[in-house]
């Protein structure tokens, strides 16, 4: 996704210009959240699974180097070619070198947030290589020349009429036809030809098992399987944190993943790839790209437990009402807001502030990442490092001074109440963004301090 100088508030304002879109975006994601709750409540051992998954991931992060070496040894024994990439540039160069060796300029790719993070599509297109995304939602946003707005539901921000128009322009479907079944059938025909004619397929990785050297890819459409099984070369791209120690641990995560993501009991396709079939090449690219740095940040290392279910996005009141593109990062929402500053504090300093800190994200996280707490801690780091806007920093310093001086606090409260009663326009105007979408409250009859002092005296306290 190309970097933009616009920050979350400005991009959220743009999304909020279409009130109807905001409403159904909000309601649709809340419906998905409700499905998640229903699915979770069918399992009496749900909290036990969350605790177990969190502990397994904690063990992985504490012993990451050993598990990576074990995974590489076993993958090599299985006949998989293993590559290591320190950053996005190395990842993209490795993929390009494999393509050049095969002499191909076209490929199919299933959903992979890592390749979005590394901007692989843009890189390959600049090199004259055609990439066809085969996940239906990702193909839709690719045709629209947009990045995904959600890690599980990439085109959740689009209306079916808009998708019908895209398909009319690019796939030749009848104008005005927005029937989802018809459009899905048209996409199937369009993609079938790509699957059959492309020599190389790229997939992501949901889980890699150190014990066996295999990896697992989860999809609901089967597109990753079709691409990988038809291609002569399969390239799997994964972040180094995707490891789990043992195959028997997989059941814990598969039970949590899709219930948390969409409320399904299990992903439609959970495909294991252990070795290339005869005549096929299989590559896996292990990518760091800032993960080692995040691992070294004690307050933020738990963010690497993320299994990319998107539950924190579906429940976040800010994400639901501001849209995924307002986060200007490959991974949006609460989890993206604690991963992005690790990549670049300056470019993503706005994101930890795009939260009410209500804690709903933490409550639904299947691996118990303390998301809202990390958002709060990132705010402190960013302010201390000098990345907060001067106006916000001055406002926070002013509030800190006010709260730490009781006499000044009481005087400020009385002054504010006087302005609210006599000249409300001084507070509620276009220069104060707080009131853009809020109503001016009635001035209180008395402050809490006065009320407490009066009632304390009535109850006989000194």
């Amino acid at each position: 996704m190309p970097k933009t100088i616009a920050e979350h508030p400005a991009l959220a304002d743009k999304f909020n210009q279409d009130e109807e879109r905001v409403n159904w975006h909000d309601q649709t994601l809340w419906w998905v959240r409700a499905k998640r709750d229903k699915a979770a409540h069918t399992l009496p051992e749900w909290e036990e699974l969350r605790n177990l998954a969190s502990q397994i991931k904690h063990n992985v992060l504490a012993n990451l180097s050993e598990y990576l070496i074990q995974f590489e040894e076993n993958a090599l024994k299985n006949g998989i070619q293993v590559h290591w990439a320190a950053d996005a540039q190395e990842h993209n160069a490795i993929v390009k070198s494999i393509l050049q060796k095969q002499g191909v300029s076209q490929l199919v790719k299933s959903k992979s947030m890592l390749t979005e993070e590394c901007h692989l599509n843009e890189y390959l297109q600049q090199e004259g290589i055609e990439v066809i995304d085969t996940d239906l939602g990702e193909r839709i946003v690719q045709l629209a020349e947009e990045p995904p707005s959600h890690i599980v539901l990439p085109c959740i921000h689009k209306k079916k009429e808009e998708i019908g128009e895209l398909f009319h322009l690019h796939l030749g479907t009848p104008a005005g036809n927005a029937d989802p079944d018809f459009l899905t059938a048209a996409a199937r025909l369009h993609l079938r030809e790509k699957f059959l004619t492309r020599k190389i397929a790229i997939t992501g990785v949901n889980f890699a098992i150190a014990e066996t050297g295999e990896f697992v890819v989860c999809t609901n459409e089967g597109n990753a399987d079709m691409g990988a099984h038809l291609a002569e070369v399969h390239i799997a791209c994964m972040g180094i944190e995707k490891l789990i120690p043992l195959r028997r641990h997989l059941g814990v995560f598969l039970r949590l993943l899709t219930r948390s993501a969409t409320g399904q009991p299990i992903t439609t396709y959970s495909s294991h790839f252990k070795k290339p079939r005869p005549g096929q090449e299989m590559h896996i690219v292990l990518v760091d790209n800032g993960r080692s740095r995040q691992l070294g940040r004690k307050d933020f290392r738990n963010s690497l437990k993320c299994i990319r279910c998107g539950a924190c996005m579906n429940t976040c009141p800010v994400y639901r009402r501001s849209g995924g593109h307002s986060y200007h990062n490959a991974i949006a929402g609460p989890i993206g807001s604690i991963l992005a500053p690790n990549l670049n504090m300056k470019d993503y300093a706005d994101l930890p502030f795009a939260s009410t800190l209500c804690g709903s994200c933490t409550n639904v996280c299947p691996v118990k990442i303390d998301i809202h707490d990390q958002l709060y801690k990132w705010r402190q780091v960013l302010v201390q490092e000098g990345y907060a806007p001067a106006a916000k920093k001055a406002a926070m310093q002013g509030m800190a001074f006010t709260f730490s001086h009781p006499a000044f606090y009481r005087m400020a409260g009385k002054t504010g109440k006087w302005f609210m009663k006599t000249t409300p326009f001084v507070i509620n105007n276009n220069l104060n963004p707080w009131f853009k979408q809020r109503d001016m409250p009635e001035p209180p009859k008395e402050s809490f301090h006065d009320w407490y002092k009066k009632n304390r005296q009535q109850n006989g306290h000194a």
Side-chain angles (χ1 to χ4, degrees):
M1 177 178 176
K3 287 287 187 299
T4 171
I5 58 172
E7 294 189 344
H8 183 270
L11 295 168
D13 268 352
K14 184 178 177 183
F15 185 76
N16 276 268
Q17 289 172 7
D18 187 342
E19 186 175 348
E20 182 190 359
R21 189 188 302 273
V22 173
N23 288 339
W24 61 252
H25 188 267
D26 176 28
Q27 292 162 9
T28 302
L29 289 171
W30 186 251
W31 176 74
V32 177
R33 156 70 204 265
K35 281 184 67 184
R36 172 263 175 206
D37 289 351
K38 188 175 179 182
H41 292 157
T42 60
L43 293 182
E45 67 274 28
W46 180 254
E47 289 304 315
E48 188 179 347
L49 282 172
R50 290 180 70 206
N51 283 327
L52 188 54
S54 184
Q55 290 168 10
I56 292 170
K57 280 291 187 180
H58 182 79
N59 173 268
V60 169
L61 296 177
N63 302 280
L64 186 59
S65 59
E66 288 85 355
Y67 286 128
L68 283 168
I69 291 170
Q70 185 186 7
F71 174 78
E72 181 187 36
E73 289 175 351
N74 288 322
L76 290 171
K77 288 177 187 173
N78 296 335
I80 301 174
Q81 298 182 44
V82 180
H83 309 264
W84 296 86
D87 53 29
Q89 289 72 30
E90 281 193 17
H91 164 266
N92 293 345
I94 289 168
V95 173
K96 179 188 169 187
S97 70
I98 298 171
L99 300 176
Q100 287 179 328
K101 184 181 175 184
Q102 296 295 324
V104 303
S105 59
Q106 296 177 315
L107 59 90
V108 289
K109 181 171 75 68
S110 65
K111 188 187 294 176
S112 161
M113 293 315 299
L114 175 72
T115 60
E116 293 291 336
E117 173 187 320
C118 295
H119 307 294
L120 180 66
N121 281 21
E122 297 93 320
Y123 171 81
L124 292 179
Q125 285 163 10
Q126 288 170 3
E127 297 292 327
I129 297 167
E130 180 197 58
V131 182
I132 299 292
D133 282 317
T134 58
D135 175 90
L136 178 55
E138 292 220 327
R139 185 59 180 147
I140 290 168
V141 293
Q142 188 179 35
L143 291 175
E145 299 182 353
E146 296 175 359
S149 68
H150 188 291
I151 60 176
V152 176
L153 310 163
C155 66
I156 188 67
H157 60 290
K158 285 212 164 293
K159 301 175 182 178
K160 62 181 181 180
E161 291 78 12
E162 294 171 329
I163 297 170
E165 180 64 18
L166 273 174
F167 278 29
H168 172 62
L169 290 174
H170 296 278
L171 308 187
T173 57
N177 193 329
D179 177 67
D181 291 337
F182 178 83
L183 297 178
T184 303
R188 184 178 293 118
L189 286 174
H190 162 68
L191 290 172
R192 185 61 55 94
E193 184 269 335
K194 311 299 181 189
F195 284 125
L196 292 172
T197 56
R198 284 0 181 214
K199 186 178 175 181
I200 290 184
I202 294 178
T203 70
V205 171
N206 289 91
F207 305 101
I209 304 169
E211 176 190 32
T212 62
E214 68 190 292
F215 57 92
V216 177
V217 182
C218 302
T219 72
N220 276 327
E221 300 172 19
N223 56 306
D225 306 74
M226 189 170 288
H229 291 308
L230 288 171
E232 296 175 20
V233 180
H234 176 188
I235 306 172
C237 304
M238 63 169 271
I240 56 175
E241 82 284 12
K242 290 295 183 73
L243 283 172
I244 57 174
L246 304 173
R247 181 185 273 174
R248 64 185 171 86
H249 293 153
L250 190 60
V252 175
F253 292 97
L254 290 180
R255 297 182 79 192
L256 288 167
L257 176 64
T258 318
R259 283 183 172 88
S260 299
T262 60
Q264 296 169 249
I266 191 94
T267 318
T268 308
Y269 300 90
S270 298
S271 304
H272 296 237
F273 295 92
K274 187 173 183 181
K275 60 182 180 181
R277 67 175 188 275
Q280 187 192 39
E281 276 187 24
M282 186 175 287
H283 299 258
I284 187 156
V285 188
L286 298 163
V287 185
D288 187 317
N289 202 36
R291 287 160 175 77
S292 294
R293 185 168 58 244
Q294 189 83 327
L295 190 65
R297 299 183 198 273
K298 184 181 175 183
D299 287 338
F300 306 111
R301 65 184 311 188
N302 275 350
S303 62
L304 296 174
K305 293 180 177 178
C306 178
I307 58 173
R308 305 292 193 266
C309 69
C312 61
M313 301 176 190
N314 302 338
T315 197
C316 177
V318 176
Y319 175 89
R320 295 201 316 268
R321 293 174 178 84
S322 61
H325 290 160
S326 63
Y327 291 81
H328 59 95
N329 181 43
I331 299 177
I335 186 66
S337 297
I338 56 178
L339 293 173
N342 176 57
L343 294 173
N344 188 318
M345 283 196 203
K346 180 175 181 293
D347 286 355
Y348 301 115
D350 56 315
L351 295 186
F353 295 91
S355 169
T356 63
L357 301 184
C358 66
S360 186
C361 47
T362 300
N363 289 341
V364 300
C365 178
V367 289
K368 293 205 161 186
I369 301 172
D370 52 338
I371 299 174
H372 75 294
D373 191 45
Q374 291 192 37
L375 287 167
Y376 177 62
K377 288 175 178 172
W378 261 123
R379 294 181 185 186
Q380 297 172 59
V381 171
L382 291 165
V383 171
Q384 289 168 358
E385 295 289 333
Y387 292 110
K392 180 174 286 185
K393 189 173 180 180
M396 292 299 105
Q397 288 173 336
M399 292 305 294
F401 177 85
T402 304
F403 289 142
S404 58
H405 294 79
F408 185 79
Y409 173 82
R410 287 193 288 275
M411 184 189 72
K414 289 178 181 176
T415 304
K417 192 165 65 176
W418 184 86
F419 276 110
M420 289 173 72
K421 282 182 178 177
T422 57
T423 55
F425 58 89
V426 173
I427 300 173
N428 184 4
N429 56 56
N430 290 333
L431 298 176
N432 187 348
W434 185 256
F435 286 105
K436 277 186 179 179
Q437 293 165 329
R438 296 177 175 86
D439 294 326
M440 183 83 166
E442 288 291 329
K445 294 178 181 176
E446 59 183 347
S447 68
F448 175 78
H449 179 268
D450 293 338
W451 175 90
Y452 180 77
K453 190 175 178 181
K454 179 175 65 182
N455 283 274
R456 188 177 174 84
Q457 288 172 344
Q458 287 177 351
N459 291 331
H461 297 287

